[in-house]
Amino acid sequence: MTDETTVDLDRRTVLGAIVGLSATGLAGCSAFEQGDDGETSQLDDETARELATRFAPTLYFDSREPWFPTDPEPYTSERDGETIVDGFDAFDGYHEQYSDGEPPNPTVLYHAVEYEESPLAVVQFWCYSAFDQFTTNFHWHDWEVLHVFVDTETDEPQLYVASSHSRKVPNNEFLDPDPEMVPRILSELGSHSSALSVNDVADRFQRLPDGDLFADITNTAIEGIEDLADYPLAYGLPRDEGSQLPYVVPEYEGEPIYEHEKLPSVTQESLISGDITVRSLDALTSPPTDLPTRETGLVFQHGERSGDADIEYELVPSTEREHIAEFTGPQLSFEFAVPDLVEDALAGHLTTTGTPWSQPRYENPAADISVPNHRAELADRYDAIGDAAPINTVVSRVTDAVASEDAPEDEGLTTVESSLESVVLLESEPEAVPTFGGVAVAQDVPAGDHRLTVNGAGKAPHSERVTVSDDGATTAAGVDGEIPLVARDRATKVELGDESASTDLSAVAVEDDFAGRLYESPSDGTDAVYVHDGGAYTTEVRDGDDAVGAYRVNPDPDSDSGVRIERPETGKASLSEFVAEIAEETRAAVESRTDGDSDDDDDDDDGSSNAVNGLERALAAVAESAQRAAERARDEDRGNADKQLEAVRDRLERVTTRLAEAEGEIPDSLSNAAANRLEQADRRSQQARDAEKL
């Protein structure tokens, strides 16, 4: 983000809080169901033209934008008695006509309706582009829309609604705009997602108020999160806010689209420029760091309006294009890498866009209001607008997992805000959604079980299962609403279970010694997750009876192989063995910081010559008792297993004392690691004592 709009977000900004989002804030209402909205009728031609001329937006485009709003009519053809626009014809025809910096046929279509027995009218501005190129969201044809809700009695605009990437992502909206200001649209590069600009800085998106500048949106903020109390949930314009957003080269039948024989006028230079483009998300070993942010290029305005603009566009009633029955084109595909026991890829297909006049929001623009408080406000003012119905929403914050400065080298992580936007897909939905400021939102999600996958350029994929309830509540994906991603060149794959495993896994979680819990997901018996090779992890497993098991995972940064836990177990033995392993791991780390010498004449009551040796020996005692507990549990000797676990508890208390005595004698990073591992060992030993399963 720019300095003016930066919100500092630490490792646990979202922890616990997204779950408590207000039902009236983000997830309480449906923006995508007509509900009790009144009927509309088309405005008469004169009134429609007056409204269209008055509110015709000024359009600001990125300096790298290849596809500007144009008239689809020149690319029409007949098929089976219907008028269509073929994707190849439009894409190639557009570039054939585009020359000397003059986009062909600059056009915006308008459509105006009024709600019956109501003073509320809406004029819509539909922009057609010949192609859409985004990260994994490219397709033939593209339609974007701005709705301007107007009170015909007061002659004042009530609400602007500018279309975002999809109807799964909140639109960019502004309630009660200045009646004297012409609306402005900042079009996102390639995808044409529409951000609003209504303040004094015409060509920049302002998410948050800053000094004399008010925000360009009045979308609802995330409630219940102190650091995000003023952060509106809207896609906005990430590259204008300082985020890096990579674009992908579109392919058709395995080849770059510009090589297709039906596109002789399209070259590689016709697409988005290479300085912001990657071949594919998984082609990089690390995230790109030098992608350019947004720069203003051509400015479009209506030809009847005076002002400084590069291009004047024509306003055409959309009714004059309603004879076009379909916008066609072969399917283009994208792939999401999905971590599994055998790496898989979920291929989705992006079909061509439908016609505006076939969509519910064409006749009922209120169906496109995505901010619940905006719909509620209009419903309070106008009987024609019905109350919104509850919908289900999935929210998460995508961050980066990186090495922690407080941990020993390659033994601990933290998470930080990512400057690189990612792409999120629910397997039950055919539509990928991009993050904005690292926030991923999917609205109107069907109740039930879903698999959510996150991909980012140069990052290992993340995949988890989420269960969405049918009560309209918000579902926080990840761990308390946070999903950390790992750079591919630092990623190690952890696999759990196989067909021969005796334990039927129901859930898996991964915790780092310093960053805490990073992954948590229901499981169908097997699972796979990418972790940073600079972390030290506890992998927790649960079975169908909710019995717990734990395993220590320490990836080797110098190894290319992953980590595999073939037959994970739960119960007293598994947990005891974990405690023994983490105690021995910590003892060895302490030993490596000492000379290993001791003076028997100066032994204290533990036989230690000093605090460090005392700590080492106390840890060895914990490991010994925990290992004995595991052996007794495997022998089905519950009584003696529990007796050894009581000894583990007593000896862990001794470790706590010895660690305090050794403070200053061992590096701070090791002291931090030992304290964190001690907490982990204490928790798992308690679980072992409580475990019914041996």
Side-chain angles (χ1 to χ4, degrees), residues 16 50 111 126 134 261 312 321 337 504 506 526 575 670 687:
E50 289 176 357
H111 180 241
W126 292 89
F134 189 57
E261 60 182 7
E312 293 184 351
R321 300 294 180 264
D504 183 17
S506 65
T526 61
L575 291 164
L670 177 56
Q687 289 176 331

Side-chain angles (χ1 to χ4, degrees), residues 314-453:
E314 182 181 358
L315 273 176
V316 175
S318 61
T319 53
E320 296 184 8
R321 300 294 180 264
E322 288 183 7
H323 64 284
I324 301 176
E326 191 176 359
F327 289 82
T328 69
Q331 289 183 330
L332 302 174
S333 65
F334 62 90
E335 288 189 348
F336 271 70
V338 179
D340 212 331
L341 295 186
V342 177
E343 198 80 352
D344 197 2
L346 174 69
H349 293 284
L350 296 169
T351 57
T352 58
T353 184
T355 62
W357 31 94
S358 64
Q359 302 175 26
R361 57 182 173 168
Y362 189 70
E363 297 298 338
N364 178 26
D368 220 20
I369 301 174
S370 65
V371 181
N373 63 318
H374 291 164
R375 173 174 272 276
E377 183 63 32
L378 287 193
D380 186 58
R381 298 177 189 181
Y382 306 99
D383 292 339
I385 304 300
D387 293 330
I391 64 167
N392 306 317
T393 302
V394 176
V395 181
S396 190
R397 179 82 177 177
V398 181
T399 57
D400 289 341
V402 298
S404 171
E405 295 180 354
D406 296 328
E409 185 178 2
D410 294 327
E411 294 184 20
L413 306 175
T414 187
T415 62
V416 297
E417 182 179 1
S418 177
S419 63
L420 189 71
E421 301 296 351
S422 302
V423 183
V424 181
L425 182 73
L426 285 170
E427 289 188 12
S428 58
E429 302 292 320
E431 201 165 18
V433 296
T435 61
F436 49 90
V439 176
V441 177
Q443 291 186 315
D444 201 21
V445 178
D449 295 331
H450 302 263
R451 187 169 187 178
L452 178 145
T453 300

Side-chain angles (χ1 to χ4, degrees), residues 214-230:
F214 52 87
D216 285 321
I217 48 177
T218 54
N219 289 42
T220 306
I222 297 178
E223 298 182 12
I225 302 178
E226 183 177 355
D227 290 339
L228 288 182
D230 299 317

